[in-house]
Amino acid sequence: MTARQLVSPERIVVAIVVVVVVIVCATTPQFLTLNNTKAILASTSVVGMAALGLTFITIVGSVVSLATAQSMAVVAMVFLAAQSWGLVPAMLISLVVGVVIGGIQGLAVGYWSINPVVLTIVTAFALTGLATLVSGGTTVNASGDGFKGLNATPGGIPLSVFVFAALALASQIVLQFSIKGRQIYLVGENRLAATSAGLPVARVVVFAWAAFGLLSSVGAMFLAAFNTSATINVGGSLTFDAIAAVLTGGTSIAGGRGSAIRTVIGVLAISIISDVLLLRGFSTGAQIAVKGVLILVFVVVVQVRAGRVAR
Amino acid sequence: MNSEAQGQPVVLIDGLTRSFGTSTAVDGVSFSVNAGEIRGLCGHNGAGKSTVIKMLTGQLQPDSGTITVDGEIVRLRNPHAAQRAGIAVVDQELSVIPALNVAENLRLGDVSAGFFPGRGARGIQRQLLDDLGLADVRLDERVTDLNLGQRQLVEIARALSRNARLLILDEPTATLSDSEAQLVFRAIRRVAARGCAIIFVSHRLREVLELCDSVTVLRDARLVGTASSAELTVSQLIVQMLGEAPHRPARTAGAALDERSPLSVTDLRVPGSVSGFTLEAVPGVVYGIAGQVGSGASDVLRAIAGLHPGSRGAIGLAGSSLTRNDPTSRLGSGIMYVSNDRKGEGLFLEKTVGENLTSTRLPHLSRAGFVGLNRERQQRRLLAGLTGIPDARIGEAVSGFSGGNQQKVFIARTLDRPDARVLLIDEPTRGVDIGGRAAIHELLRSAAASGMIVIFASTELEELIELGDVILTMKDGHVVRRHDGDIRGDELMRDMTHDEDARR
C-alpha cells in the first residue's frame, strides 16, 4: 500500500468519524458498561441477520431487496401460527417459507433478468396482500409457547446474539471459500463476463436470493419470539435498516465486492451511534436525523471510493 | 455557405508525423484536398489512417508537420479548435441522441450556439436537411423514429451546420444497408457540390471507388500516393494498400491430430448476421475466420459458444450432437470462448490475476462445494507461469496490467484443463503489442498442438496469415471462400472487402 493510499481523503474522513465517535462514546456516561454493551448487541442481531442475507444479493449484483420487512413479517407470522406443532417443526417450516420467498425472487432476477428493485417493491405489496388475506387482517398470536426458548439469555446475553455471530461466520466462510460464494462475486462484478465464461449465472443468483431468504427468516423467528405476536407490520423499518448496515459496511451497491464481516461492522456502527444518541438524551426525532446524516456520510464516502476503484 | 470555385485546396497536410513510444504511426504524410472534391482515404489496419484523422480533428497533436486550412496554418489543440477551423467529422458510431428531436440534435455540441436558439436557426436547419435530401423529415421529429441512414444524415447535417470546410466521414456506412448507404452517398455528393472538401474512409473498397473522385493510400505509416478513382480497380487498390502482399506458402505444420473427434458446424444461422456457416474442424489445426466488422465472423464464434439463443443449425462434437444452446452447457461440453470485448465481457477487471485465472474452473479445484485453497494456489501459479506473469503479481488487480498481459490472462483461463476441447477466440491480439502478440500466437499454437480445436476470428491480415492453418473468409454473413495451403493476403483482402454479390 502506498503512502498516497494511506492518506487518501476517504481514509481521512473515516478516521475523523471513528475518532469523534470514540471520543463521544468514551465521554458518554454509562456507555462503557456491561449492560450497555449487551443492549447494543441485542439490538444488533435481528437487523444483522437481515443485513447478512442482504449482503448476498447486493454482492451478486441484485442491488437490494425492498421487501425485507414484509418477507420477515410473513415468516414471523408463519412461525407463531405453527407453534402448536412444536418449536422445531415451526422453525423448519419458517425456514422453508423464507427460502421459497427468496428463491422465487431469485428465479425472476436470475432467469428473466427482472429489475430487482421493481421486483421487490411488487413483492412487498404481494406479501402484504397475501398476509392480510390469510390472517384476515388480524394479529397472529402464538399457538404454543415453544418459541420462548428463543428468548433465552445464556450468560446474560440474548441467544440471538450467539446465533447472529454464528451466521456471520458461516456467511463469511460460504462467500469466501465455497464455489457458489466465489461465483457470487464474479457474477456481481460483471454479469456479461460471467455469462460468456459459461458460469451458471442464473443458478448463482437463485442461490444468493435463497441465502437471503434463509438468513432473514432466522431473524424473523427471533423477531416473532421477541414480540410474541405478529402483523404484517412487525418488520418495522427493517428494510432500510438492513440496507443502511450493508452500505455502511462498505459492500458495493454495484455488486462484486463486500463481505459478511463488513456487514457486521456496519450493523455495529449503526447500533453504537443510536445507542450514544439515546444515552445523551436526544429526542427520537433528533436521533433518527443524526443517525441518517452519519449513515449518509459513511455511505457516500465508502461507495464513492468503491465506484472510483471500479472505474 | 460559400461560393468558392471548385479546385482550390481547402486543406493541405504537409509532412505530418506522429509517434507513439518507439513506433511511428504516421511518418511524413502530405496530401491536399480541394474544394468540392471527395477524397477516399485507404489503408490496411495500422497504416495510419485513424491517426491522420485524429490529428485533423484535434484529438491528437502532430509531432511535426503542418495542417493548412484555406491557406492558413492551423493548430488544432482540441476538437473545439478543429470545429472552429471548419473541420467536421462523422464516424461510424452514431452520436445522435435518439431521445431528442432532430433540431435538438443539430444543436448538440455546437460551440457557437447560444443557450437559446435564435429565430433564424430553424430556417438554417431546415435548409440543411433539405439540401441533404431529408425534406420529408420534420425538425421536431424524434430521432428514434428515423432509420439508420436518416440518422447518419442528421449527423452529417450537424457536422455541416458548423460551416464545415472539410467534412471527414470515417466508416459512415459500416452499419448501413445498401439503400441506406446510397442515401448517404447522394447527400455526400450534394455537400461536395457546394464546395465542401470531403475525406471518406471505408473498408468497402468498391464503395470508395464508386463515390470518390480520388483516393489517397497509406501503408505502414507512409503515403503511397494519390490517384484518380477512374484510373483504379479494386485489385490495384489492394496492391497499393498491401504493397508486397503478405503471402504464405503451404505449410506442413498444424497437421490434423485426431480425425475422429471433430467439431462439426452445419448450416449455422444467426438471424440478422450469419446466413449459413458450415465447418468441420479437427484437433491440431488452427482455423481462422477472416471478416470485417459486421461480416458475421464474431457471431459464428458466439453462436458456437452458446451466446446466441436464437441461432439455428447443428453443432456436433466428437460425434455427439450439442442440443442445449446456452453458454454453461457449451462450456460443459468443453467449448471455451474468449470474447473480443476483453473489458466488457471478458475479464473480471477489479479482481486479481489469480481470481481471474481460476474463475472458470472452480469446480475442478473443489471438494464438497468448497474450493481447495492449496490446489487453487498451485493452479494459479501454473497458469501465471504459462502467461509469463511473475508469482509476485498474481495478487494484483488485473485492471492494472497491459493489454497484452490482460489478454494472456484471459486466454490462460482456457488452458491446462482436461475438459477443454474447443477454443474459440475472437480477435486474439486486439490491443496487444508486438511482443505480446507473438507470445499469444505461441500459446494458441501449442494449445492446438496439444489436441485442442482452435478457431479464431480476426480482421487483421497479418494475424490471419501468421496463425491460421485454414482460413475462411466471410462477408455479409456468409462464407466467401476457404483458403488452405498457399494463402495470399491480397486474395483474403479481396474476399473480405469486395464481393460481387449484393449486400444484405
Side-chain angles (χ1 to χ4, degrees), chain B residues 220-244:
Chain B
D220 298 336
R222 291 168 185 277
L223 180 76
V224 175
T226 300
S228 158
S229 303
E231 296 162 11
L232 275 173
T233 63
V234 169
S235 309
Q236 288 167 330
L237 195 51
I238 288 174
V239 169
Q240 288 202 359
M241 286 165 63
L242 300 180
E244 189 78 31

Side-chain angles (χ1 to χ4, degrees), chain B residues 43 61 99 197-198 211 275 308 322 331 363 410 461 468 474:
Chain B
Q61 309 308 312
I198 290 175
L211 176 71
S275 51
H308 270 305
L322 307 182
L331 177 72
F410 195 3
L461 283 186
M474 282 189 76

Side-chain angles (χ1 to χ4, degrees), chain A residues 177 179 182 189-190 196 256 309, chain B residues 344-345 350-351 369 371 376:
Chain A
F177 300 117
I179 299 178
R182 294 284 192 83
E189 156 109 19
N190 187 338
S196 99
V309 169
Chain B
E345 59 160 24
E350 298 312 319
K351 299 281 176 265
V371 180
E376 185 182 50

Side-chain angles (χ1 to χ4, degrees), chain A residues 173-174 177-180 182-183 185-186 189-190 192-200 203 256-257 309-311, chain B residues 307 327-328 331 337 339 343-351 359-360 362-363 366 369-371 373 376 380 413:
Chain A
I173 290 172
V174 167
F177 300 117
S178 77
I179 299 178
K180 279 284 183 290
R182 294 284 192 83
Q183 290 175 339
Y185 284 97
L186 297 173
E189 156 109 19
N190 187 338
L192 280 179
T195 304
S196 99
L199 297 183
R203 264 179 277 158
R257 10 183 87 227
V309 169
R311 242 170 276 133
Chain B
L307 289 163
T328 309
L331 177 72
Y337 172 67
S339 162
K343 294 194 159 77
E345 59 160 24
L347 294 171
F348 302 97
L349 281 180
E350 298 312 319
K351 299 281 176 265
S359 59
T360 56
L362 293 171
S366 304
F370 283 85
V371 180
L373 297 185
E376 185 182 50
R380 286 175 177 178
R413 293 205 312 213

Side-chain angles (χ1 to χ4, degrees), chain A residues 26-300:
Chain A
T27 57
T28 300
Q30 292 159 15
F31 180 82
L32 292 172
T33 62
L34 189 61
N35 278 337
N36 190 51
T37 309
K38 285 180 188 171
I40 290 173
L41 290 175
S43 71
T44 302
S45 51
V46 168
V47 67
M49 292 179 215
L52 281 178
L54 196 66
T55 307
F56 279 78
I57 64 174
T58 303
I59 295 177
V60 87
S62 296
V63 198
V64 291
S65 166
L66 293 177
T68 308
Q70 287 78 4
S71 308
M72 289 174 74
V74 166
V75 174
M77 292 161 87
V78 168
F79 178 67
L80 291 173
Q83 284 303 313
S84 54
W85 297 329
L87 179 60
V88 172
M91 286 168 69
L92 291 178
I93 292 169
S94 303
L95 292 177
V96 168
V97 170
V99 169
V100 167
I101 292 175
I104 290 174
Q105 295 178 78
L107 289 174
V109 176
Y111 284 92
W112 302 308
S113 301
I114 291 176
N115 179 314
V117 172
V118 175
L119 173 77
T120 54
I121 291 172
V122 174
T123 304
F125 276 112
L127 289 176
T128 304
L130 193 69
T132 312
L133 192 68
V134 172
S135 68
T138 58
T139 303
V140 175
N141 289 303
S143 60
D145 59 3
F147 70 88
K148 286 178 179 160
L150 296 188
N151 290 332
T153 53
I157 297 170
L159 179 64
S160 62
V161 173
F162 294 103
V163 173
F164 173 52
L167 290 178
L169 188 64
S171 300
Q172 184 66 26
I173 290 172
V174 167
L175 282 170
Q176 203 173 343
F177 300 117
S178 77
I179 299 178
K180 279 284 183 290
R182 294 284 192 83
Q183 290 175 339
I184 283 175
Y185 284 97
L186 297 173
V187 169
E189 156 109 19
N190 187 338
R191 188 166 168 158
L192 280 179
T195 304
S196 99
L199 297 183
V201 172
R203 264 179 277 158
V204 170
V205 172
V206 173
F207 176 85
W209 281 83
F212 168 63
L214 184 78
L215 291 162
S216 62
S217 53
V218 176
M221 288 188 269
F222 283 102
L223 182 69
F226 181 76
N227 285 299
T228 71
S229 68
T231 68
I232 189 66
N233 296 320
V234 71
S237 60
L238 270 172
T239 298
F240 292 105
D241 290 347
I243 295 173
V246 170
L247 296 186
T248 303
T251 291
S252 166
I253 191 74
R257 10 183 87 227
S259 70
I261 301 296
R262 283 177 168 276
T263 296
V264 171
I265 293 170
V267 175
L268 286 176
I270 291 175
S271 289
I272 289 170
I273 292 167
S274 313
D275 181 70
V276 167
L277 294 173
L278 185 70
L279 291 178
R280 291 224 158 199
F282 282 88
S283 69
T284 310
Q287 282 178 41
I288 297 173
V290 171
K291 194 166 102 179
V293 169
L294 281 175
I295 292 171
L296 180 73
V297 169
F298 261 114
V299 167
V300 167

